[in-house]
Amino acid sequence: MGRRSGILEFAVLGLLRESPMHGYELRKRLNTSLGVFRAFSYGSLYPCLKTLVQRGWLAEEPGEASEESLAALAGRRAKIVYRLTAEGKEHFEELLAQTGPDTWEDEHFGVRFAFFGQTSRDVRMRVLEGRRSRLEERLARMRASLARTGERLDDYTLELQRHGMESVEREVRWLNELIESERVGRDQHRGDTPPDPSDDTTK
Amino acid sequence: MGRRSGILEFAVLGLLRESPMHGYELRKRLNTSLGVFRAFSYGSLYPCLKTLVQRGWLAEEPGEASEESLAALAGRRAKIVYRLTAEGKEHFEELLAQTGPDTWEDEHFGVRFAFFGQTSRDVRMRVLEGRRSRLEERLARMRASLARTGERLDDYTLELQRHGMESVEREVRWLNELIESERVGRDQHRGDTPPDPSDDTTK
DNA sequence: GTTTTCATGTAACCCGTTACATGATTCA
DNA sequence: TGAATCATGTAACGGGTTACATGAAAAC
């Protein structure tokens, strides 16, 4: 009953911050904008929306059906448009400011990155660097275990391991570039191409 | 109660086919040999082992504790070594032969690949090609959605999408190489380097 | 002799999916 | 007017984790 998701909740708040939407549309945007990473179903989305409303972070608005008068009749079910409340916005901003360890875990990182446009630069930096060191740890462990057991593994397992390591190395290089360009953005000046200075007057 | 996992079950059977082991060791091998992909906990492993025993696919053996005589005393708990039974082996071989659509889903593919050493060549081919066309579909969808919504996305979301697509493209290239080398292995002759002709006398 | 690592297990929970049920709107 | 798509929702399940509890063996 008490759906307190995490990543889905975060994504919903983030998308609704940009503009109000109804569930169906929300789901499509979740599964495209958010990338390849996750594909949520209605079975998780609608209950999530409900609890977010209960907590006062979202407000339901009767969607514009066709003609106003018709929609109001006898329990007529129409599109429900959700919008972020003031408390919801505040809460989302708190979430955006978080830089805890789980922030750079596989599942979370993608969503966090997707909302970097609304994230302050120093938080972006911490998340990117956290992710990078996370991956570097992983690489170290993989190399170690490969050195230990490397000889007695069959060709396919070895190939799988090799490809896995290359993937991780590639993501590290990607992060390096991102971190570098964030740094340049800070050192040089403002207004280069860095995606809007973020309207963080909240804090 | 009725843990009928799928990927964990498959991996356990596969590892135990190579040699008997106890749970603790099994878990380590799951989290290294099987690659970066998944990290199982005891909370899922032990219940899984239990149900596999119940179905007659695994047999428990009292592990060699220290001195034989001591181990037999009053309900003494010692290492439990699991080995694959004949039925278990047969069942695993059936699983290995499967080429259904979920075979090439993200989660399954890694484990399937890890046991390619024990998989017949034509099944390997079907799995690799299935995976590839799965990824190509995904690429097509990504490109389409990028073309539609591409302009009105912020820089970070776009970058995320771009990086995601590159990852998928990279895996496709990897699959191409693998498929090619499988094909060469078949066309040329036997005993090139193709990792053992597989002892499939079962069928 | 105490801390670490090895080793086995369980109960509660988490975050999601599947399959289903319902109805409105658009399009051919 | 019937099919496809849009739109909302729920109950049952699924496959795993976390946190906990226990105890033996090895290392210091």
Side-chain angles (χ1 to χ4, degrees):
Chain A
M1 289 262 167
R3 293 258 180 283
R4 43 193 146 295
S5 304
I7 129 167
L8 175 55
E9 185 178 304
F10 183 86
V12 165
L13 293 173
L15 284 179
L16 287 180
R17 197 199 166 177
E18 293 165 7
S19 75
M21 265 180 283
H22 57 270
Y24 192 86
E25 193 184 348
L26 201 47
R27 192 220 176 200
K28 280 200 300 188
R29 303 230 14 214
L30 278 172
N31 297 207
T32 57
S33 304
L34 270 295
V36 213
F37 308 94
R38 315 197 98 278
F40 294 100
S41 64
Y42 301 120
S44 38
L45 177 57
Y46 284 115
C48 173
L49 285 170
K50 211 169 232 180
T51 74
L52 290 180
V53 168
Q54 278 171 6
R55 283 181 232 169
W57 294 334
L58 300 186
E60 299 181 351
E61 286 173 357
E64 15 55 68
S66 30
E67 298 301 303
E68 304 152 29
S69 50
L70 288 169
L73 295 171
R76 181 105 136 42
R77 191 177 57 167
K79 283 204 282 195
I80 299 171
V81 175
Y82 294 91
R83 80 172 161 76
L84 206 56
T85 63
E87 300 88 48
K89 193 170 175 180
E90 196 174 344
H91 175 66
F92 182 63
E93 244 124 60
E94 279 170 28
L95 292 179
L96 272 184
Q98 278 181 201
T99 55
D102 31 305
T103 305
W104 38 72
E105 285 306 311
D106 293 319
E107 332 79 55
H108 289 56
F109 177 73
V111 203
R112 289 303 306 252
F113 192 93
F115 292 102
F116 262 20
Q118 319 194 21
T119 308
S120 71
R121 174 139 49 205
D122 55 324
V123 170
R124 291 200 300 256
M125 273 302 241
R126 256 172 297 179
V127 172
L128 290 173
E129 284 170 346
R131 174 84 183 149
R132 181 175 57 180
S133 66
R134 182 81 181 68
L135 292 184
E136 268 160 358
E137 281 170 30
R138 199 186 293 184
L139 271 180
R141 259 183 288 116
M142 292 173 78
R143 276 194 254 268
S145 109
L146 206 58
R148 273 190 288 101
T149 60
E151 301 308 324
R152 61 188 185 95
L153 289 175
D154 71 288
D155 294 4
Y156 285 111
T157 312
L158 227 50
E159 175 60 27
L160 187 60
Q161 214 108 18
R162 201 193 56 69
H163 180 252
M165 280 201 21
E166 269 189 26
S167 301
V168 179
E169 282 164 352
R170 188 172 154 275
E171 189 177 340
V172 169
R173 285 196 297 275
W174 181 63
L175 288 169
N176 282 336
E177 286 169 27
L178 290 170
I179 289 169
E180 186 51 32
S181 83
E182 291 281 356
R183 216 186 297 277
V184 167
R186 173 160 61 194
D187 292 352
Q188 281 189 343
H189 56 251
R190 74 269 0 275
D192 200 32
T193 327
D196 100 56
S198 166
D199 52 338
D200 244 36
T201 46
T202 329
K203 189 181 180 183
Chain B
M1 291 262 165
R3 292 262 179 281
R4 41 192 147 294
S5 304
I7 129 167
L8 176 54
E9 186 177 303
F10 183 85
V12 165
L13 293 173
L15 284 179
L16 287 180
R17 197 199 166 178
E18 293 165 7
S19 74
M21 264 180 286
H22 56 271
Y24 192 86
E25 193 185 348
L26 201 47
R27 193 221 174 199
K28 279 199 302 189
R29 301 228 20 211
L30 279 173
N31 296 211
T32 57
S33 305
L34 271 292
V36 212
F37 308 92
R38 313 196 101 277
F40 294 100
S41 63
Y42 300 120
S44 39
L45 177 56
Y46 284 115
C48 173
L49 285 170
K50 212 170 230 178
T51 74
L52 290 180
V53 169
Q54 278 172 5
R55 282 182 234 169
W57 294 333
L58 300 186
E60 299 182 350
E61 286 172 357
E64 16 54 68
S66 30
E67 298 301 304
E68 303 153 29
S69 49
L70 288 169
L73 296 171
R76 178 99 140 46
R77 190 177 58 168
K79 283 204 282 195
I80 299 171
V81 175
Y82 294 91
R83 83 175 157 73
L84 206 58
T85 63
E87 299 89 49
K89 193 170 177 179
E90 196 174 344
H91 175 65
F92 182 65
E93 244 124 60
E94 279 171 27
L95 292 179
L96 272 184
Q98 278 180 202
T99 54
D102 31 305
T103 305
W104 38 72
E105 285 307 309
D106 292 319
E107 332 79 55
H108 290 57
F109 176 74
V111 203
R112 288 304 307 253
F113 192 92
F115 292 102
F116 263 19
Q118 320 194 22
T119 308
S120 72
R121 174 139 49 206
D122 56 323
V123 170
R124 290 199 301 255
M125 273 301 242
R126 256 173 297 179
V127 171
L128 289 173
E129 283 169 347
R131 174 85 183 147
R132 183 176 55 181
S133 66
R134 182 81 181 69
L135 292 183
E136 268 160 359
E137 282 170 30
R138 199 186 295 185
L139 271 179
R141 260 183 289 116
M142 292 173 77
R143 275 193 255 268
S145 111
L146 206 57
R148 274 189 291 101
T149 61
E151 301 308 324
R152 62 189 185 93
L153 289 175
D154 71 288
D155 295 4
Y156 285 111
T157 313
L158 226 51
E159 176 60 26
L160 187 59
Q161 214 107 18
R162 201 192 56 69
H163 179 252
M165 280 200 21
E166 269 189 26
S167 301
V168 179
E169 282 163 354
R170 187 171 154 275
E171 189 176 340
V172 170
R173 286 195 297 276
W174 181 62
L175 289 170
N176 283 335
E177 287 170 25
L178 290 170
I179 288 168
E180 186 52 30
S181 83
E182 291 281 355
R183 218 186 296 277
V184 167
R186 173 161 60 195
D187 292 351
Q188 280 190 343
H189 56 250
R190 74 267 3 270
D192 198 33
T193 328
D196 102 58
S198 167
D199 52 338
D200 245 36
T201 47
T202 329
K203 189 182 182 184

